[in-house]
Amino acid sequence: MDTSTWKWFRYDEIFDIRKGKRLTKENMTEGNIRYIGAIDSNNGLSAFIGNDSLLHQGNTITVSYNGSIGYAFYQDKEFWATDDVNVLYPRFSLNRYIAMFLCRLIEMEQYRFCYGRKWDLEAMNKSKIKLPVTPEGTPDWKYMEDFVKDQIIPQLPKKAQRVWLQKYDTKPMQQEKMKLNTQDWKWFRYTDLFQISGSKTTPVEELESYGKGEYPYVTTQAVNNGIEGYYNYWTEKGGVLTVDSAVLGFCSYQEKNFSASDHVEVLTPLFEMNKYIAIFLVTLINKEQYRYSYGRKCSQIKLRNSKIKLPVTPSGTPDWKFMEDYIKSLPYSKNIEPSKPNEIVDELMEVKKEMIKMRRAMEAQQSGSLVNYGTVNIYEK
């Protein structure tokens, strides 16, 4: 990609930038409206709320200017943005392909900002972004769209392509709709359901000596199912839940055998667990993260003393069949069954790899920065 013919445009030339609005957890109501926070994953989605007084339109781009500064995401539906997020309303005809192109360019400027130098509304309006142009010197939106369609999407795995082309299955595995009535549920100690143990800590250097492979390396990160890579080595058997004991207690299901970093606890089921039951349990366990913080970390001791409220059979035992059937009754549940273990995670990693390639190609071609302030370059090669 040759960027030498690209031109600079001020952000406020191509976007109407608006600041998000603060909303505390205490004031959030239940609902299905997206709440976009200043985070670096999950498309910025931090919660679902019912508050609808200050919503932003879909077909816009959100950029964190505090917290996880410079992370950009395309929002296709209306949402509430926190006050640490700027919302970029396009002054042109935006679609998700152009947005994908722009988000990568925006994120290339993350290194410029920090807690003491935030990318706030005033700074972003003054910033400039370098874009491909038409012979008339205007942004070449068609080039950006075609580049993503022709160069990026075809290189993605088939399932990821279906997501972009919106050809995935939205139907549930079973048609019977099921409701949750937690009033009849009962409390169970974690130790009644799981054998709780620590995992063996495996340094990355040791894993690299075995080479890349098929076994996940599970860490304390709260994204990508906790997985940071795949290697030809494992220490823990799959079919278990893992919990981050470093801070918040993020829980994920590990289907395959895996290795782990430090502070990864293992919950081995004392019952017959499958991926559907695991998804049900993981969702409930992750709802408990608000109990933990840096000063009150999740730990084996806390897990052993914890309880979980579950649906029960008439005899008072956990109703595992209900949990499985409930997950199967949800929209999109047909997509849970990948053609091979961890294929979905593999594909997400492939998407990330392709975007990194695009970013590196651009960086190699750049003769200067992609962002200026006013008429003065903050950085020049």
Side-chain angles (χ1 to χ4, degrees):
M1 179 181 289
D2 182 8
T3 64
S4 61
T5 59
W6 293 17
K7 293 186 178 180
W8 294 101
F9 296 88
R10 279 179 60 115
Y11 269 65
D12 56 8
E13 289 183 85
I14 57 176
F15 297 111
D16 173 18
I17 307 175
R18 308 175 192 177
K19 189 174 181 294
K21 180 70 175 179
R22 180 177 173 81
L23 180 66
T24 63
K25 286 187 177 180
E26 293 76 13
N27 293 326
M28 289 181 180
T29 59
E30 292 187 6
N32 57 4
I33 297 171
R34 299 174 181 180
Y35 178 75
I36 305 302
I39 59 176
D40 62 1
S41 59
N42 204 32
N43 213 59
L45 178 62
S46 298
F48 286 98
I49 61 174
N51 311 68
D52 60 0
S53 59
L54 295 169
L55 300 185
H56 290 275
Q57 298 173 13
N59 200 35
T60 51
I61 293 173
T62 55
V63 182
S64 303
Y65 73 84
N66 192 19
S68 297
I69 299 177
Y71 282 91
F73 301 107
Y74 174 63
Q75 308 300 337
D76 63 338
K77 296 181 180 180
E78 66 177 7
F79 59 94
W80 184 303
T82 184
D83 58 339
D84 289 327
V85 169
N86 287 332
V87 183
L88 280 54
Y89 283 77
R91 300 186 188 276
F92 56 93
S93 182
L94 179 69
N95 59 42
R96 57 203 178 98
Y97 301 101
I98 298 173
M100 185 180 188
F101 193 98
L102 293 173
C103 285
R104 301 289 75 77
L105 294 181
I106 293 169
E107 290 185 347
M108 289 174 68
E109 299 304 312
Q110 292 170 357
Y111 73 96
R112 299 184 177 283
F113 305 98
C114 60
Y115 183 80
R117 187 173 186 272
K118 300 174 183 178
W119 205 2
D120 58 21
L121 187 63
E122 182 180 359
M124 187 169 284
N125 272 318
K126 293 179 180 178
S127 298
K128 291 185 178 181
I129 184 170
K130 199 175 186 183
L131 299 175
V133 293
T134 65
E136 294 76 26
T138 59
D140 195 340
W141 306 118
K142 188 177 186 305
Y143 170 86
M144 300 179 215
E145 179 176 351
D146 290 345
F147 179 85
V148 172
K149 285 182 176 179
D150 299 337
Q151 303 295 323
I152 300 298
I153 304 301
Q155 298 182 52
L156 302 179
K158 289 182 179 180
K159 281 194 175 181
Q161 289 184 37
R162 288 201 294 271
V163 170
W164 269 94
L165 298 174
Q166 297 183 331
K167 293 183 177 180
Y168 45 81
D169 199 336
T170 63
K171 297 178 181 178
M173 296 184 69
Q174 58 186 41
Q175 297 303 315
E176 180 185 357
K177 293 184 179 180
M178 304 179 69
K179 294 183 179 180
L180 296 177
N181 181 11
T182 61
Q183 292 181 350
D184 299 327
W185 293 16
K186 292 186 178 179
W187 291 99
F188 296 88
R189 293 179 65 90
Y190 277 39
T191 50
D192 293 332
L193 308 173
F194 302 101
Q195 176 185 333
I196 302 173
S197 60
S199 61
K200 178 184 176 182
T201 299
T202 306
V204 175
E205 295 77 15
E206 181 180 346
L207 289 172
E208 290 176 344
S209 69
Y210 290 97
K212 299 292 184 180
E214 62 176 306
Y215 301 110
Y217 177 56
V218 180
T219 68
T220 57
Q221 65 176 7
V223 295
N224 202 32
N225 215 52
I227 297 171
E228 268 199 8
Y230 292 84
Y231 299 90
N232 283 318
Y233 182 78
W234 61 272
T235 60
E236 317 296 325
K237 289 188 176 181
V240 300
L241 305 184
T242 54
V243 178
D244 150 38
S245 63
V247 183
L248 294 179
F250 174 76
C251 181
S252 56
Y253 172 56
Q254 306 302 332
E255 187 174 24
K256 297 185 66 175
N257 294 346
F258 63 96
S259 60
S261 67
D262 56 352
H263 301 298
V264 174
E265 312 303 328
V266 179
L267 275 58
T268 304
L270 301 175
F271 56 92
E272 188 173 347
M273 184 171 71
N274 57 38
K275 67 180 69 178
Y276 307 103
I277 297 172
I279 290 172
F280 194 99
L281 294 172
V282 164
T283 304
L284 294 180
I285 293 172
N286 280 331
K287 283 184 173 294
E288 300 300 307
Q289 291 181 12
Y290 73 93
R291 299 181 183 277
Y292 306 107
S293 63
Y294 187 79
R296 189 178 186 275
K297 300 178 182 180
C298 180
S299 65
Q300 273 196 50
I301 294 176
K302 288 187 174 68
L303 289 172
R304 293 178 189 279
N305 291 324
S306 296
K307 292 183 179 181
I308 186 171
K309 198 175 186 182
L310 298 174
V312 292
T313 65
S315 61
T317 58
D319 195 340
W320 306 118
K321 187 176 188 307
F322 173 87
M323 300 181 214
E324 177 176 347
D325 290 344
Y326 180 79
I327 296 299
K328 289 181 176 179
S329 73
L330 297 176
Y332 301 93
S333 60
K334 280 192 175 181
N335 298 286
I336 294 175
E337 198 78 55
S339 58
K340 66 176 183 177
N342 287 304
E343 183 174 349
I344 293 173
V345 175
D346 288 342
E347 289 174 353
L348 290 174
M349 293 184 71
E350 288 301 319
V351 172
K352 184 176 181 180
K353 288 178 184 177
E354 293 303 326
M355 298 316 299
I356 289 174
K357 287 181 183 177
M358 172 183 166
R359 174 175 175 170
R360 287 176 177 169
M362 289 179 175
E363 288 174 338
Q365 292 286 342
Q366 283 302 102
S367 58
S369 166
L370 287 176
V371 172
N372 295 352
Y373 281 90
T375 58
V376 180
N377 285 331
I378 297 298
Y379 165 78
E380 293 180 345
K381 288 185 177 179

